[in-house]
Amino acid sequence: MDQAKIITVTSPLLPSLEDFIPYLQDIWERKWLTNNGHYHQELEKTLCEYLKVSYISLFTNGTLPLITALQALRITGEVITTPYSFVATTHSLWWNGIKPVFVDIEPTTCNIDPTKIEAVITPKTTAIMPVHVYGYPCDIKSIQEIADKYGLKVIYDAAHAFGVTVNGKSILEAGDMSTLSFHATKVYNTFEGGALVCHDEQTKKRIDYLKNFGFAGETTVVAPGINAKMDEIRAAYGVLTLKMVDDAIEARRKIALRYKDALKDVPGFTYLEDIPGIRHNYSYFPIFVDSEQYGMTRDELYFKMKENNILGRRYFYPLISTFSTYRGLESAKPENLPVATKIADSVICLPIYADLKTEDVERIVEIIKIGLCKVK
Ligand SMILES: *Cc1c(COP(=O)(O)O)cnc(C)c1O
């Protein structure tokens, strides 16, 4: 076995260059590089079909749809959100001048705990921004009940949840809007890219104005929009890679199964189980380390893996609420976020991607089992 080979936490889904060249030739012939071109329209159409949604708007990355969703729904004041996510979730609130209010998470799913939401609602609260962490669905029903009771909007950060369905229905239908990221590290990528899903034509129109400076016609500007459009090269690439994504998810499923099988007897380790009725996308494979039972702390294991050229990632550590911008907030205090704090201190995401080799999975499993020697 090649011990020197570096295994990263992910590796992008890439088609062959040969397959992509005809798309480039076509773009050169059309001479239409951006602004709702042929491939932009085609990708919106094929994504609607694939994801089982009615309205989608493409973006140049996965952060701008978050920022734009808040603009489109005219969200102000305070928004309730989770500290256990990638920083972009909370940053999108900050960029809109909105105060984030952090709520703790559920230990079983790592998603926002709906039973803790009502206690932090104030007259200034206008929305809830949950995240389907690792692609595991939030408690959509409970969140919606609270939103309806208090007249709040719900924007889901679904950056991890590409292709996830609940009883055959897209997870992206939940709430008022959902955002996606097509960053290189995600299950489905367009190098950089993203999308915003909404549920009616009028709203889609407003989103499309907002992502193009607010232009509603050649000489009409209806809103203070931004430039967040996806160009033709990435849209064409997206059309091509969409054809590969089902196979990629299936390959990820098999790797997740192998990890679960190999790690089920390791004391002090837990991982997320599949939930009946959910089509998972296996975007991440987080494990949670109980150092006493396992014999090593999370960080000891993390560095052990690193020494062996296996680059797991501690998603999501540190919590967003600990960063300098946010840590002064009352809701950011660790005593208000005990579950998130504990999980952030115990998590490592193991390498998982479509072309991760079986022998590499075995090597990773072996390294992880090292912690056991200390126990015995
Ligand atoms: C990746 C990610 C984003 C941001 O997406 P970009 O495409 O990198 O801008 C937002 N939220 C979450 C939870 C993410 O993982």
Side-chain angles (χ1 to χ4, degrees), residues 15-66:
S16 78
L17 187 55
E18 213 169 60
D19 287 346
F20 189 43
I21 285 171
Y23 289 83
L24 291 174
Q25 281 165 337
D26 191 43
I27 292 168
W28 257 247
E29 273 163 35
R30 289 174 188 274
K31 287 197 169 188
W32 186 303
L33 309 188
T34 186
N35 289 47
N36 199 27
H38 170 79
Y39 286 105
H40 187 285
Q41 290 178 27
E42 186 171 334
L43 185 57
E44 285 195 347
K45 193 169 135 269
T46 51
L47 277 174
C48 276
E49 286 159 13
Y50 181 84
L51 296 169
K52 302 180 187 168
V53 298
S54 303
Y55 301 96
I56 196 165
S57 297
L58 296 177
F59 278 75
T60 194
N61 61 47
T63 300
L64 284 162
L66 286 165

Side-chain angles (χ1 to χ4, degrees), residues 60-66 84-89 131-133 157-160 179-186 191-194 284 316:
T60 194
N61 61 47
T63 300
L64 284 162
L66 286 165
Y84 194 77
S85 179
F86 181 62
V87 281
T89 313
V131 181
H132 302 297
V133 177
D157 180 340
H160 298 180
T179 69
L180 290 166
S181 166
F182 307 151
H183 184 259
T185 54
K186 307 298 208 263
F191 281 52
E192 293 259 6
Y284 300 86
F316 289 100

Side-chain angles (χ1 to χ4, degrees), residues 3-270:
Q3 297 292 335
K5 193 179 106 188
I6 291 174
I7 306 174
T8 46
V9 74
T10 191
S11 174
L13 183 64
L14 266 180
S16 78
L17 187 55
E18 213 169 60
D19 287 346
F20 189 43
I21 285 171
Y23 289 83
L24 291 174
Q25 281 165 337
D26 191 43
I27 292 168
W28 257 247
E29 273 163 35
R30 289 174 188 274
K31 287 197 169 188
W32 186 303
L33 309 188
T34 186
N35 289 47
N36 199 27
H38 170 79
Y39 286 105
H40 187 285
Q41 290 178 27
E42 186 171 334
L43 185 57
E44 285 195 347
K45 193 169 135 269
T46 51
L47 277 174
C48 276
E49 286 159 13
Y50 181 84
L51 296 169
K52 302 180 187 168
V53 298
S54 303
Y55 301 96
I56 196 165
S57 297
L58 296 177
F59 278 75
T60 194
N61 61 47
T63 300
L64 284 162
L66 286 165
I67 290 174
T68 306
L70 294 161
Q71 287 280 326
L73 294 168
R74 299 183 170 87
I75 304 298
T76 57
E78 296 176 4
V79 170
I80 295 167
T81 189
T82 170
Y84 194 77
S85 179
F86 181 62
V87 281
T89 313
T90 313
H91 283 352
S92 72
L93 299 172
W94 204 261
W95 275 63
N96 277 287
I98 294 163
K99 180 177 167 187
V101 176
F102 296 111
V103 159
D104 208 2
I105 60 173
E106 299 174 321
T108 44
T109 61
C110 304
N111 291 326
I112 195 166
D113 185 343
T115 65
K116 308 218 169 106
I117 291 177
E118 278 194 89
V120 299
I121 292 175
T122 75
K124 288 186 186 153
T125 310
T126 55
I128 307 170
M129 185 179 267
V131 181
H132 302 297
V133 177
Y134 311 129
Y136 275 68
C138 290
D139 183 347
I140 289 162
K141 191 165 161 276
S142 303
I143 292 169
Q144 197 59 52
E145 277 168 13
I146 297 164
D148 291 344
K149 186 170 162 191
Y150 292 89
L152 308 176
K153 301 286 186 195
V154 184
I155 301 165
Y156 282 100
D157 180 340
H160 298 180
F162 188 89
V164 173
T165 61
V166 184
N167 299 321
K169 236 185 111 191
S170 172
I171 197 176
L172 305 169
E173 294 288 0
D176 294 279
M177 291 186 191
S178 292
T179 69
L180 290 166
S181 166
F182 307 151
H183 184 259
T185 54
K186 307 298 208 263
V187 166
Y188 167 78
N189 84 84
T190 57
F191 281 52
E192 293 259 6
L196 182 47
V197 170
C198 67
H199 312 314
D200 66 274
E201 202 175 337
Q202 202 61 27
T203 308
K204 156 122 173 106
K205 225 176 191 175
R206 179 162 161 75
I207 292 164
D208 288 344
Y209 294 154
L210 283 171
K211 77 173 195 189
N212 187 31
F213 310 99
F215 277 113
E218 209 179 305
T219 53
T220 317
V221 172
V222 295
I226 197 161
N227 180 5
K229 305 184 297 289
M230 181 184 279
D231 61 74
E232 284 292 276
I233 290 192
R234 287 188 284 155
Y237 177 89
V239 169
L240 178 59
T241 45
L242 190 58
K243 297 174 187 168
M244 303 165 66
V245 78
D246 277 332
D247 287 346
I249 291 173
E250 178 55 19
R252 285 169 172 274
R253 189 184 70 81
K254 286 188 179 138
I255 293 163
L257 261 182
R258 176 63 197 126
Y259 275 139
K260 287 176 191 177
D261 189 48
L263 301 176
K264 66 176 187 287
D265 301 324
V266 180
F269 262 38
T270 42

